[in-house]
Amino acid sequence: MNAHAATSPGAIRPLAAAHLRDALTAAADHRPAASLAALMNIDPHSWAAIQHRTAELGTTVLDLLAYAARNGAAS
């Protein structure tokens, strides 16, 4: 077993990815309550994986939400 596999938080489940997308879309649409509600639906294992992946990219979920809120939805 390699060291990366031992520390990896796991995979992001498809439903969690959809919730994250919904949260970002809601932030872009300036609907913070809907964004928070979507984030609250993410399971703990996927949440850990999302945080790990965003950290690897040098950012956080909060930064992504703020970016979406400032710049709107991608076309």
Side-chain angles (χ1 to χ4, degrees):
M1 174 184 258
N2 68 36
H4 180 70
T7 60
S8 177
I12 299 169
R13 293 184 177 124
L15 185 57
H19 289 311
L20 178 59
R21 181 195 61 226
D22 292 346
L24 292 169
T25 299
D29 292 341
H30 304 286
R31 297 181 298 121
S35 183
L36 180 59
L39 292 175
M40 296 297 293
N41 284 317
I42 298 173
D43 66 275
H45 296 290
S46 293
W47 182 251
I50 289 167
Q51 289 182 309
H52 180 78
R53 298 237 180 121
T54 55
E56 285 181 335
L57 294 171
T59 192
T60 66
V61 173
L62 183 57
D63 289 339
L64 294 175
L65 292 168
Y67 181 86
R70 280 191 312 271
N71 296 297
S75 48

